[in-house]
Amino acid sequence: MREVYVLATEQTGPPPLEALRTAFATDEVEFVPHEDAQGFTVRADGSEVRVVLKPESEGRPRVNPELFSGSPEAFARVEKARSCYAFLLEPGGAQPTLPVFEALWTVRTLMELVPGVLVDVTAFKLHEPEDVAEITELDFDIRDHVHLHAIELAEGDTPLWVHSHGMEKFGARDVEIFHLGEGDLLAAESFLHELCTDLAFAQGPALRQEVSTSEGQSFTMVPSEEARANLLGVPLDAFEGHEGLFLTVVSPLGRHNTAELLATYRERFAKEPAEQTAAMHEEAQALLPAFLARFQRKGLMEPLTFLVRAPFETHPEGEAVVENLWLEAVTRDEGSVVGRLVDGAVHTTEWRKGAHVEVEEKQINALAIAREGRPLNESELRALLTAERPM
């Protein structure tokens, strides 16, 4: 079994056994206390999570701010920790995400009795209780489970090596890509997150096999011990601290040239012109009364999905950035629409996919309707909404 998470807490000594039994008392879970009273094992859905209270002599986990991501408050709480619980699981299997989520569910349950900060030792991430609750409740987002790290290896326009940390918890190698420039970072992040998601669900591409991305570009994955032999101008000590085995993304010919691979991913981050956003907002506001009227009289069995887009503020690297996100309308409140985010924010996980949010109607800047999963084109949407206008 592998230690994947550590719960750092100021509380010393384990909770009473009966409190633990009560917390884990469900039909789906088998709770087994350890004989030494310093931990317990949780079994569910064919997976097993072992929880061990570490002795104080082992100290608190080391969380270097240069490597770990987390809030200042989380770092401060780890520094104050007086005891730690280690969570061990067997990575991989037919459904690699299952043991991870069982471990997180176990963490969340224990956190109700033992407040603290969760340390993802594989991904270099700190999670506070509200983070763990969201991760276990909302749609899967690989960014909650991996951390992408960029290192400058050489000189020139494309000196960056971008790689992941955290895939070990899913029983997979971490992934890497070389020869990137500053302008490639967002596109590379999007591509690698997509690739890591497939690997986490055991649906990743086979080694040395040419495959296509969701955008239609081709690439091949090669074991790092094989792919790095083709790197030129990279000193051997560049990989110090990263001696583990990775999966390297290369071109179908085995080259470390990925400019063409990332080309379509760059388009996702092209800034929408302010004039276009303003025009879309004006049009959406004109159609909104009919859109909401049709939404409110939608039949229970009608295969229609109503979507609205609105601006949301995120804070990558502490700076405020506005992203336009789509949400599926669930209900209408006075002057606002409540819905479920279709996609999470691009730059951070502040707005996670699946989260329920509320937006003011006056902020809505785009509308869409889908029938049985197929988005209606502009003429179909207008025809549907025209029926809502008074004669």
Side-chain angles (χ1 to χ4, degrees):
M1 301 186 83
R2 179 180 178 83
E3 182 180 302
V4 171
Y5 298 110
V6 172
L7 175 59
T9 177
E10 294 182 54
Q11 181 173 311
T12 58
L17 180 58
E18 284 310 309
L20 287 169
R21 288 188 186 278
T22 301
F24 288 94
T26 71
D27 294 335
E28 295 81 19
V29 168
E30 180 186 1
F31 173 81
V32 182
H34 297 167
E35 292 183 1
D36 59 5
Q38 297 300 300
F40 56 90
T41 295
V42 172
R43 300 188 180 100
D45 293 329
S47 64
E48 180 175 295
V49 180
R50 184 175 176 84
V51 183
V52 179
L53 177 60
K54 289 188 171 186
E56 290 188 35
S57 59
E58 293 192 17
R60 67 178 70 90
R62 296 179 179 178
V63 290
N64 185 344
E66 294 183 3
L67 297 176
F68 279 76
S69 64
S71 68
E73 294 78 14
F75 280 101
R77 293 180 70 181
V78 172
E79 290 301 314
K80 296 177 182 177
R82 301 177 64 189
S83 62
C84 297
Y85 291 83
F87 294 77
L88 298 92
L89 57 86
E90 194 64 50
Q95 300 181 52
T97 58
L98 183 59
V100 173
F101 270 87
E102 290 298 340
L104 287 169
W105 181 86
T106 303
V107 169
R108 179 177 176 178
T109 305
L110 183 59
M111 276 181 147
E112 295 175 0
L113 300 173
V114 182
V117 173
L118 182 65
V119 181
D120 184 333
V121 296
T122 68
F124 306 144
K125 285 180 174 287
L126 303 184
H127 295 292
E128 296 183 83
E130 55 270 24
D131 295 327
V132 177
E134 285 193 347
I135 293 170
T136 53
E137 289 177 358
L138 302 180
D139 294 348
F140 182 88
D141 188 334
I142 194 65
R143 295 176 299 175
D144 293 319
H145 306 280
V146 301
H147 180 70
L148 295 185
H149 191 193
I151 294 179
E152 187 171 319
L153 290 183
E155 297 180 353
D157 296 331
T158 57
L160 299 177
W161 165 43
V162 179
H163 57 277
S164 69
H165 291 289
M167 291 303 297
E168 296 168 78
K169 70 169 73 70
F170 299 108
R173 290 189 181 194
D174 279 298
V175 296
E176 64 181 6
I177 191 168
F178 291 93
H179 291 322
L180 301 180
E182 288 287 342
D184 296 320
L185 285 179
L186 288 177
E189 285 181 9
S190 183
F191 165 72
L192 291 178
H193 283 145
E194 190 175 277
L195 178 58
C196 287
T197 299
D198 287 343
L199 291 169
F201 282 93
Q203 297 172 355
L207 291 179
R208 305 180 186 86
Q209 178 180 321
E210 182 177 342
V211 292
S212 297
T213 71
S214 63
E215 303 289 346
Q217 304 298 325
S218 297
F219 71 97
T220 303
M221 286 204 311
V222 180
S224 59
E225 59 271 31
E226 177 182 327
R228 290 180 182 178
N230 298 327
L231 283 170
L232 299 177
V234 176
L236 294 178
D237 60 357
F239 301 111
E240 185 177 347
H242 295 82
E243 290 84 2
L245 301 178
F246 288 75
L247 294 174
T248 309
V249 176
V250 295
S251 75
L253 296 177
R255 297 173 181 170
H256 292 280
N257 182 356
T258 55
E260 184 178 346
L261 169 65
L262 299 178
T264 51
Y265 285 89
R266 294 189 193 94
E267 296 173 4
R268 298 182 182 181
F269 301 96
K271 188 174 179 61
E272 186 175 276
E275 298 80 4
Q276 181 181 340
T277 303
M280 292 174 66
H281 180 263
E282 184 177 351
E283 182 179 7
Q285 291 295 309
L287 292 173
L288 191 58
F291 178 92
L292 293 175
R294 184 64 181 86
F295 166 69
Q296 288 186 294
R297 70 176 188 83
K298 172 179 175 276
L300 290 176
M301 302 302 292
E302 270 191 302
L304 295 177
T305 303
F306 291 76
L307 304 157
V308 300
R309 194 185 78 163
F312 289 80
E313 187 175 284
T314 62
H315 303 84
E317 300 180 358
E319 297 181 4
V321 174
V322 174
E323 295 185 43
N324 285 305
L325 304 179
W326 286 94
L327 57 141
E328 179 184 347
V330 175
T331 187
R332 184 186 182 190
D333 203 350
E334 188 173 342
S336 63
V337 172
V338 179
R340 177 177 173 274
L341 285 176
V342 175
D343 287 305
V346 171
H347 299 286
T348 72
T349 55
E350 291 172 85
W351 301 101
R352 286 184 169 95
K353 180 181 179 181
H356 280 74
V357 297
E358 182 174 354
V359 297
E360 295 182 18
E361 292 177 5
K362 63 183 180 181
Q363 290 186 312
I364 294 173
N365 57 32
L367 305 171
I369 298 176
R371 178 182 283 115
E372 295 182 335
R374 182 187 71 83
L376 302 183
N377 60 39
E378 185 176 352
S379 60
E380 291 172 325
L381 186 145
R382 287 183 176 277
L384 181 68
L385 297 185
T386 299
E388 299 300 322
R389 294 177 180 171
M391 300 298 291

